[in-house]
Amino acid sequence: MIAAARMQAVLIARSPDLLATLAVIPLYSLVFFTALVHHHRESAATTVALTAFLMSLWSHAVFVAAETVDTDRREGTLEPSLLTPGRYLAALAVRVGTTTALGLPVLAEVLLIGRLGFGLPVRIAEPGLCLLVAALTALGVAATALLISGVMILVRGARALQNALTYPFYLLAGLIVPIGVLPAPVRAVARCFFLAHGAQLLRDAAAGTADGAGPRVALLAALVAVHLLLGLLVLRRVLASVRTGEVALHA
Amino acid sequence: MAVVETDRLGRTFTARRGRRVTALEGVTLTVGRGEVLGLLGPNGAGKTTLSRILTTLLLPTSGTARVAGHDVVRRPREVRRRIGLVLGGDRGLYGRLTARQNLSYWAALQGLDARTAARRTDGLLERLGLAARAGDRVETFSRGMVQRVHLARALLGDPEVLIMDEPTNGMDPHSAAGFRTLVRELRDAGTTVLLTTHDMHEAQALCSHLALIDHGTILRQGAADTLLAEVSARRTVTATGVPAGAAEVLAGLPGTEVERGPGGAVTVRPADAETLTRVLAVLVEARAEEISVAAPGLTEVYRSVIEDREFVV
Ligand SMILES: Nc1ncnc2c1ncn2[C@@H]1O[C@H](COP(=O)(O)OP(=O)(O)OP(=O)(O)O)[C@@H](O)[C@H]1O
Ligand SMILES: [Mg+2]
């Protein structure tokens, strides 16, 4: 499926709107860093940088990567694609993954903005582990994008819900306040949410306090795998339901 | 041997507020190997619905269909492997990719290995006259060129059956002629073709068989010559410089349709051979010019089978 990745890369390179999201979102880190400096909380700089990174990764997936199938429908490419549903599904996974992977460089971007732009003490104690966790988290985010893209085809007006898919999930992932302060039922849900695990592991790896990270990485990988499977299954169901004629092939 | 075979095929849709729409009903059809079946009918007749069912993109709600020997409901994979689909219109390709990039992607989707994909892509770009523009983005192509890329995509998998839904929609006369040549070549090579079109001349030029469809049912089907022979009574007489008086006389002949145009031009469709003789006599006597009689074409077949829809504005 190199063909699918290559094709998506060309599509992205020729669609400035797709790249714009990535250029704009790190600007939030400017807001965060400015607030940080103003309140003399420089010690939280690394956490804030990681938060900005995860938020941009997530919103990129929700607003850009999740559009892949709907764009195919609008362009009329969905119909011929469904003549090879199995490979189309695989191609979609690769294409959504490729788009999401574009969010990874944002990590370096926000770290550099913090260090060079604001002179903040951002530092990554374990870069290797950080990169691994970031990649796994990105995979989970791509799985989310697959899931959302399926739902967007199935449910009319799902687009209106797209906005609601950001802040509640930031909260659930412990990106806004620590998970510990959330109500107990919400905390239980957060414990099954890969992004919450990824975020915590990323912070610990950056701070150098992630001793014995093996089982935690394994748990993260398992959660991501389940999520990916769920995303693929839902999307497969959605694509199959197009055949019954209940879902329009054209938008 | 039948390559496409449907038996009392039907499809209903549930539209808004639970209203049911019957798009197809009791469609029984056979297309033999190497035949070119023209599917003709007005807008909303059910042509696209039939094409979608035959290409496994839509499930029927009643009846059965077999394509290339496999049931479209139970063995969709087998069917998909043996068909090519050409959709009309300028959508359906990635506009931001070049023609070659599009074809490479679609070849990968069809599971062709890289070498075969490259070979077929090059061959088709050449054959369809796209080689010079292969590296240009499809969004910069004219409609006819986009249609040729559509056709190239459909041919990537070397299909046994080619199903085309208004493929020449928007092609200029040269492109359309090139398209017809290609379809004839494919037919001669044994490809079975199902062609939906609103262009009667195209259908007459290409189709060995015809099916006329309206309101989801097939009204008439058979070999093109047979259908044409059936309506042979109605010929079309045209002439210019016909005085008003003579035109009045023509309009008064029983069962005769008369259309009048500028410069005393008239188009007359006499009901039978006897009336035809009288029409010609009237025209000669009135010293009309450029009198000509045309044998009935597919347009006449179409008009005699499909009821006229008044334009509702
Ligand atoms: N997904 C759908 N939901 C509801 N009704 C549908 C759907 N698809 C088609 N129809 C209806 O089925 C009927 C047949 O449509 P179809 O597209 O097959 O016609 P067509 O012969 O291809 O027309 P055209 O010449 O305009 O392309 C129409 O009344 C159409 O409104
Ligand atoms: Mg149609």
Side-chain angles (χ1 to χ4, degrees):
Chain A
M1 282 279 108
I2 302 164
R6 197 179 328 133
M7 168 269 195
Q8 189 70 11
V10 175
L11 277 184
I12 292 165
R14 291 181 184 170
S15 321
D17 43 320
L18 291 183
L19 286 172
T21 325
L22 284 180
V24 170
I25 287 177
L27 293 179
Y28 285 119
S29 69
L30 297 181
V31 179
F32 293 160
F33 287 137
T34 309
L36 215 60
V37 172
H38 181 72
H39 294 288
H40 303 291
R41 293 282 311 277
E42 283 82 356
S43 59
T46 311
T47 304
V48 162
L50 294 176
T51 300
F53 159 63
L54 290 172
M55 284 184 176
S56 41
L57 197 62
W58 182 269
S59 68
H60 182 58
V62 168
F63 290 108
V64 180
E67 296 281 332
T68 312
V69 187
D70 205 41
T71 306
D72 273 4
R73 175 161 72 167
R74 254 196 329 274
E75 302 273 330
T77 44
L78 179 61
E79 195 167 355
S81 301
L82 288 174
L83 289 180
T84 49
R87 286 197 208 91
Y88 179 54
L89 186 63
L92 277 180
V94 172
R95 289 171 54 196
V96 167
T98 308
T99 308
T100 309
L102 273 184
L104 284 173
V106 174
L107 179 56
E109 207 178 325
V110 291
L111 291 174
L112 285 176
I113 293 176
R115 169 131 1 138
L116 303 178
F118 290 82
L120 290 167
V122 286
R123 91 188 181 93
I124 300 287
E126 296 180 57
L129 181 60
C130 264
L131 211 57
L132 175 66
V133 174
L136 273 176
T137 309
L139 196 60
V141 169
T144 309
L146 278 179
L147 197 65
I148 298 171
S149 62
V151 175
M152 283 213 319
I153 294 283
L154 206 55
V155 188
R156 238 179 267 248
R159 193 165 290 277
L161 293 175
Q162 238 170 347
N163 277 313
L165 292 176
T166 52
Y167 285 95
F169 287 87
Y170 296 159
L171 201 62
L172 202 59
L175 294 180
I176 297 174
V177 292
I179 289 173
V181 308
L182 297 176
V186 181
R187 238 182 299 155
V189 176
R191 255 195 288 281
C192 308
F193 187 32
F194 76 92
L195 193 59
H197 287 267
Q200 191 57 49
L201 200 48
L202 208 52
R203 283 192 289 262
D204 292 350
T209 58
D211 299 331
R216 291 175 65 191
V217 172
L219 177 62
L220 176 63
L223 286 174
V224 166
V226 170
H227 204 56
L228 192 57
L229 201 66
L230 188 70
L232 286 173
L233 285 177
V234 166
L235 197 50
R236 198 175 69 162
R237 272 294 291 277
V238 172
L239 295 183
S241 71
V242 172
R243 251 191 119 195
T244 65
E246 285 145 30
V247 179
L249 279 165
H250 303 287
Chain B
M1 196 198 97
V3 177
V4 178
E5 221 176 345
T6 72
D7 184 23
R8 282 162 289 164
L9 201 63
R11 172 73 213 200
T12 56
F13 289 103
T14 312
R16 269 172 295 136
R17 281 182 252 114
R19 200 172 54 87
R20 299 188 72 71
V21 178
T22 303
L24 277 187
E25 197 175 2
V27 169
T28 300
L29 196 70
T30 15
V31 190
R33 180 167 306 284
E35 286 180 9
V36 179
L37 176 79
L39 203 55
L40 312 177
N43 297 129
K47 306 178 297 295
T48 298
T49 304
L50 180 57
S51 302
R52 286 206 175 122
I53 292 176
L54 294 178
T55 49
T56 77
L57 290 173
L58 188 68
L59 292 170
T61 44
S62 62
T64 58
R66 293 169 71 79
V67 174
H70 297 278
D71 188 286
V72 293
V73 177
R74 278 176 291 138
R75 312 284 302 268
R77 277 161 191 265
E78 303 298 324
V79 172
R80 287 171 191 148
R81 206 172 293 155
R82 292 167 174 79
I83 56 164
L85 170 66
V86 181
L87 299 167
D90 29 30
R91 294 158 75 253
L93 293 165
Y94 294 96
R96 285 179 169 140
L97 300 184
T98 66
R100 190 187 299 281
Q101 283 166 340
N102 261 291
L103 292 179
S104 305
Y105 172 70
W106 293 105
L109 272 197
Q110 294 182 18
L112 301 184
D113 62 83
R115 186 116 59 85
T116 314
R119 187 165 43 79
R120 292 229 180 121
T121 300
D122 285 340
L124 285 166
L125 286 169
E126 192 66 48
R127 186 171 175 194
L128 290 168
L130 289 163
R133 299 285 305 271
D136 293 350
R137 293 189 197 191
V138 167
E139 65 191 1
T140 67
F141 282 12
S142 67
R143 265 192 153 187
M145 290 169 66
V146 170
Q147 270 319 97
R148 280 182 268 164
V149 184
H150 273 290
L151 195 55
R153 169 183 53 205
L155 294 175
L156 277 171
D158 205 4
E160 261 179 69
V161 186
L162 199 55
I163 294 175
M164 306 199 265
D165 194 357
E166 300 185 37
T168 50
N169 191 0
M171 272 194 195
D172 66 44
H174 285 304
S175 302
F179 168 82
R180 285 174 205 169
T181 308
L182 188 83
V183 172
R184 288 195 195 98
E185 282 172 25
L186 291 166
R187 174 200 64 195
D188 294 343
T191 308
T192 305
V193 180
L194 202 137
L195 171 75
T196 294
T197 181
H198 288 295
D199 182 339
M200 294 303 133
H201 295 289
E202 175 174 285
Q204 197 162 352
L206 280 180
C207 301
S208 59
H209 292 72
L210 297 164
L212 278 79
I213 177 170
D214 195 8
H215 301 298
T217 48
I218 296 205
L219 299 178
R220 196 73 66 81
Q221 64 171 311
D225 340 347
T226 316
L227 289 186
L228 283 170
E230 276 177 21
V231 288
S232 59
R234 284 248 167 182
R235 281 163 197 272
T236 306
V237 183
T238 53
T240 58
V242 181
E248 297 292 333
V249 175
L250 292 175
L253 294 174
T256 304
E257 289 173 33
V258 180
E259 282 170 38
R260 296 165 71 167
V266 291
T267 305
V268 191
R269 290 194 188 78
D272 47 42
E274 193 186 324
T275 322
L276 172 63
T277 318
R278 288 177 63 191
V279 167
L280 291 175
V282 171
L283 288 174
V284 170
E285 199 163 306
R287 296 185 175 277
E289 293 147 27
E290 298 186 26
I291 303 168
S292 73
V293 183
L298 210 42
T299 310
E300 282 69 41
V301 177
Y302 184 95
R303 291 187 50 161
S304 70
V305 174
I306 308 276
E307 78 182 74
D308 192 13
R309 303 258 202 292
E310 298 286 337
F311 262 106
V312 186
V313 184

